[in-house]
Amino acid sequence: VAAAGTGALTVTLIAIMALVLMALASEWPAARGLAVTALVVTLLAYGLLNVTVSNIVIDPVTGQPTVADFGDLLASPAGSDYLGIGILLGVILTLAGLAGAIAARGRPQLAVAGAFAAPGLIAFAYLNTSRALSASPAFAVAALVAAVYLASVTEYLGRRLAADAKGRDGAISAYAVGCITTLGAALTIAFERGMLTVSLALLVAGIAWVETRRPVAALRPTALAVAAVVIARVVWDPRIVGDDLGTTILFNPLLYGYGMPTLCFAYAAWRFGRTPGDPRPVPIFEALAVIFTALTATVEVHHAMNGG
């Protein structure tokens, strides 16, 4: 890929490799892991499609090779071509994954490829074309459409596959988690700062609500993973909105930045505790609710007593 650039030959080779690996995984159950290989290889090839030797230069002072910064390294010289390639690869993996999830014996692995192709390719396309990593309504809508599709497939497989079908639960879980991942990507791309914290926290509550109606085993671990992202977001910017926090007492971004995760974690603990499933996430969400309650009070008091 690095040698050939973004020409038709490169795209053709990537597409053929994805198709061949998916076909092998579908035809021979012993080779079903190749479906995940197809996903990984395709995402890496697409993500590195524009990273060429020209992005690496020799420092005139030290004589050592230097790599451009992250944005320049991934910068796409031809946005429309790059997006078109992503759509092509996404269609290949998505359709092949869906066909495998319906009919193949290596159902879970093919479902993983079909479910995570869209969020992965959208993420790379966003990184390549949005240099400043700012909010992008277009990519957010694309991710939202993909999430709706994945939710529909999750529901379809639940109705289509027999209860005793081999790999049924794994395939449904793959699409459910893929849907949540894509929805999280849409929120991350669409919102910034405080609204991102709130939207991701609401996603945790949404997962808990969905689990009461569609008890997919993978939803609880996924809710914990999203909660970890919320925590990381708060740790990265404890002021929630950076320098724009202001001096207003109580009714400021800290109230919703810490208060909304508190409510969402409490709801997840309450909801998970009243439905069948793995009980281990329940005390974790209870602890998070208690911790964020204390944090909400602490940061608001600290803000009020220190002039903002």
Side-chain angles (χ1 to χ4, degrees):
V1 170
T6 58
L9 174 62
T10 302
V11 178
T12 302
L13 289 175
I14 297 171
I16 289 175
M17 177 170 286
L19 280 171
V20 169
L21 291 174
M22 292 294 283
L24 290 172
S26 179
E27 190 68 22
W28 289 286
R32 57 186 177 271
L34 289 178
V36 180
T37 304
L39 173 66
V40 173
V41 168
T42 303
L43 291 179
L44 287 176
Y46 184 64
L48 300 174
L49 203 57
N50 296 310
V51 179
T52 63
V53 176
S54 63
N55 292 110
I56 302 176
V57 298
I58 301 298
D59 189 291
V61 177
T62 64
Q64 298 296 319
T66 60
V67 180
D69 62 33
F70 183 72
D72 291 331
L73 192 63
L74 288 179
S76 173
S80 60
D81 292 345
Y82 192 78
L83 296 178
I85 294 169
I87 293 172
L88 171 65
L89 298 177
V91 168
I92 290 173
L93 286 178
T94 298
L95 293 181
L98 178 59
I102 293 173
R105 284 183 287 175
R107 187 170 280 127
Q109 290 79 6
L110 285 151
V112 167
F116 288 92
L121 291 168
I122 289 173
F124 274 118
Y126 169 68
L127 291 172
N128 269 273
T129 56
S130 300
R131 298 284 298 279
L133 300 183
S134 56
S136 173
F139 280 109
V141 170
L144 187 60
V145 170
V148 171
Y149 161 76
L150 294 172
S152 302
V153 173
T154 305
E155 190 73 8
Y156 171 74
L157 292 178
R159 299 173 185 271
R160 168 72 182 264
L161 300 179
D164 58 349
K166 184 176 177 61
R168 176 184 185 273
D169 291 344
I172 294 175
S173 295
Y175 276 99
V177 175
C179 173
I180 294 167
T181 302
T182 310
L183 186 57
L187 295 172
T188 303
I189 293 171
F191 297 111
E192 297 178 302
R193 304 169 68 172
M195 287 300 101
L196 177 58
T197 305
V198 170
S199 60
L200 291 174
L202 288 171
L203 185 56
V204 174
I207 295 170
W209 179 81
V210 168
E211 202 239 16
T212 63
R213 287 149 181 80
R214 295 292 180 270
V216 177
L219 290 180
R220 295 192 180 199
T222 305
L224 286 174
V226 177
V229 176
V230 174
I231 295 168
R233 173 65 184 81
V234 172
V235 170
W236 180 65
D237 183 12
R239 294 178 295 173
I240 306 299
V241 292
D243 294 333
D244 298 329
L245 179 57
T247 59
T248 302
I249 295 176
L250 186 59
F251 297 103
N252 54 58
L254 295 175
L255 186 62
Y256 64 76
Y258 287 87
M260 187 56 71
T262 301
L263 296 175
C264 292
F265 293 155
Y267 174 80
W270 174 78
R271 191 71 271 175
F272 287 144
R274 280 158 179 76
T275 52
D278 185 359
R280 290 176 294 181
V282 175
I284 297 176
F285 279 112
E286 289 175 344
L288 288 176
V290 171
I291 291 170
F292 268 78
T293 299
L295 283 173
T296 304
T298 301
V299 296
E300 283 288 13
V301 169
H302 180 82
H303 177 270
M305 294 181 65
N306 290 274

